[in-house]
Amino acid sequence: MENSINGIHHITAIAGNAQRNFNFYSKVLGLRLVKKTVNFDDPQTYHLYYGDEQGTPGTILTFFPWEGIAAGRRGTRQATEIGYSVPANSFDFWINRFEKHNVVYNKPAEKFGEQYLTFLDPDGLKLELIASKTADNRLPWETDEVKAENATKGFHNITITTNKMQPTADILTGVFGYKLLEQHVNRYRFVTDAVDNANIVDLVEVPGEHAGHVAGGSVHHVAFRVKNEEILMQYREKIEALGLHITEKIDRNYFYSLYFREPGGVLFEIATDNPGFSVDEPVESLGTHLKLPAQYEEYRASLETTLPKLV
């Protein structure tokens, strides 16, 4: 795992109303809000991070909640489904919970020998709860209503829909160290053995389908995980050598990042484990205060007035 891509670091999506997003992910799904900060490029908009107790890479789902944003459209050139790992006997609990909270869901189905339950968040983002056929010993965050025997453990996989899967597959296998594990019809499952969980990317190839539109209820980008900045910059060299445009290293306060658009059209990020979410507040109080990057600290009073209160 030392010099490798270690699966998924985080996934970032777009939401509408911030309070509705907070209610769904922290209260209905039972994730922990591990960081309440702002979009570095649009500080009047939150950047909300949900995950496990510490915000461990591989559990982090983040959102830009833009009030009033139009709904996106799923299609090709997009990450279209986010898969969470859950205990195998938890589906009855989740179906009852979805019924109680008026969550749109489909009946359980199976792919690659794993049972899964598809549902939509309030903005239409498509997610899946998956009973993994490999052991997942990650400790979940618990709430009063969602206990460990049912709780999500972190990501299982991300699904990318593409007109032509091979160019994206070449990045996964030739640069990121993934291998093709299984294929069923037009779904190709790639996995890395660098880590045990949050290590699967599914590519769904649909040659004739139209490109999707990234907006409300869409995945904005998928971030892959590396240990530190030194390894991060090694991957920058590899991607630049392929002729792809990749950003300079960007300090995101809680990790360092590079961004590039893979040949299939999806925005990929590579992000470091360091320094982590406890760099500016202790683990026991993660997500309880508005944390601002240094360049916006002088505007705190104004931003605290502008940004909606989350309760």
Side-chain angles (χ1 to χ4, degrees), residues 148-168:
E149 61 265 24
N150 297 307
T152 63
K153 292 175 175 286
F155 296 130
H156 178 72
N157 71 308
I158 184 73
T159 298
I160 291 171
T161 301
T162 180
N163 296 119
K164 188 177 181 181
M165 77 94 181
Q166 195 59 52
T168 304

Side-chain angles (χ1 to χ4, degrees), residues 18-20 22 33 36 46 48 50 308-311:
Q19 182 67 57
R20 184 178 64 183
F22 174 72
L33 180 66
K36 181 168 58 175
Y46 276 126
L48 304 177
Y50 303 95
K309 299 289 186 287
L310 300 180
V311 295

Side-chain angles (χ1 to χ4, degrees), residues 36-303:
K36 181 168 58 175
T37 184
V38 295
N39 184 324
F40 282 22
D41 302 314
D42 178 16
Q44 295 188 4
T45 299
Y46 276 126
H47 193 177
L48 304 177
Y49 292 74
Y50 303 95
D52 67 0
E53 181 183 16
Q54 300 184 29
T56 307
T59 74
I60 309 159
L61 180 61
T62 94
F63 286 91
F64 303 132
W66 278 301
E67 185 72 39
I69 191 168
R73 183 185 67 254
R74 279 189 295 278
T76 60
R77 303 179 67 82
Q78 279 188 335
T80 49
E81 300 152 18
I82 298 169
Y84 271 100
S85 173
V86 294
N89 58 355
S90 65
F91 281 11
D92 286 346
F93 168 85
W94 286 110
I95 289 171
N96 289 335
R97 191 159 182 81
F98 292 163
E99 288 280 355
K100 177 182 176 181
H101 292 279
N102 298 311
V103 176
V104 176
Y105 71 94
N106 288 334
K107 64 181 181 181
E110 182 177 309
K111 59 189 169 192
F112 296 124
E114 296 174 326
Q115 291 288 307
Y116 70 98
L117 177 64
T118 300
F119 64 103
L120 302 179
D121 85 351
D123 290 289
L125 182 66
K126 188 177 181 182
L127 303 108
E128 296 174 340
L129 302 179
I130 301 168
S132 175
K133 62 186 178 184
T134 58
D136 189 341
N137 297 315
R138 292 176 291 179
L139 296 176
W141 177 251
E142 291 186 286
T143 70
D144 290 342
E145 295 187 4
V146 184
K147 298 300 184 183
E149 61 265 24
N150 297 307
T152 63
K153 292 175 175 286
F155 296 130
H156 178 72
N157 71 308
I158 184 73
T159 298
I160 291 171
T161 301
T162 180
N163 296 119
K164 188 177 181 181
M165 77 94 181
Q166 195 59 52
T168 304
D170 289 344
I171 296 294
L172 293 176
T173 58
V175 181
F176 286 1
Y178 280 69
K179 297 176 182 178
L180 178 62
L181 180 68
E182 300 180 74
Q183 177 190 351
H184 180 68
V185 192
N186 65 334
R187 181 179 289 264
Y188 302 78
R189 171 154 289 187
F190 293 83
V191 64
T192 175
D193 58 7
V195 287
D196 294 329
N197 306 110
N199 61 346
I200 295 170
V201 179
D202 284 355
L203 300 184
V204 175
E205 186 176 59
V206 280
E209 187 167 326
H210 293 298
H213 174 61
V214 174
S218 303
V219 173
H220 186 271
H221 64 267
V222 180
F224 293 86
R225 175 184 182 188
V226 293
K227 183 177 180 181
N228 56 39
E229 296 160 74
E230 179 183 356
I231 300 167
L232 182 78
M233 298 312 287
Q234 291 173 9
Y235 277 96
R236 188 180 190 281
E237 291 180 7
K238 292 179 182 180
I239 292 159
E240 193 171 45
L242 296 175
L244 297 173
H245 173 74
I246 185 164
T247 65
E248 298 295 331
K249 181 177 71 175
I250 300 172
D251 182 354
R252 294 303 192 193
N253 281 24
Y254 312 109
F255 43 86
Y256 295 91
S257 296
L258 301 168
Y259 298 84
F260 72 101
R261 199 166 293 278
E262 55 85 22
V266 176
L267 184 61
F268 277 3
E269 176 182 354
I270 307 174
T272 63
D273 285 359
N274 64 296
F277 290 99
S278 60
V279 69
D280 59 0
E281 57 185 337
V283 169
E284 57 268 23
S285 60
L286 286 177
T288 58
H289 300 94
L290 177 64
K291 309 307 291 187
L292 296 175
Q295 65 266 34
Y296 297 129
E297 193 59 55
E298 64 180 297
Y299 306 112
R300 175 175 288 277
S302 173
L303 290 171

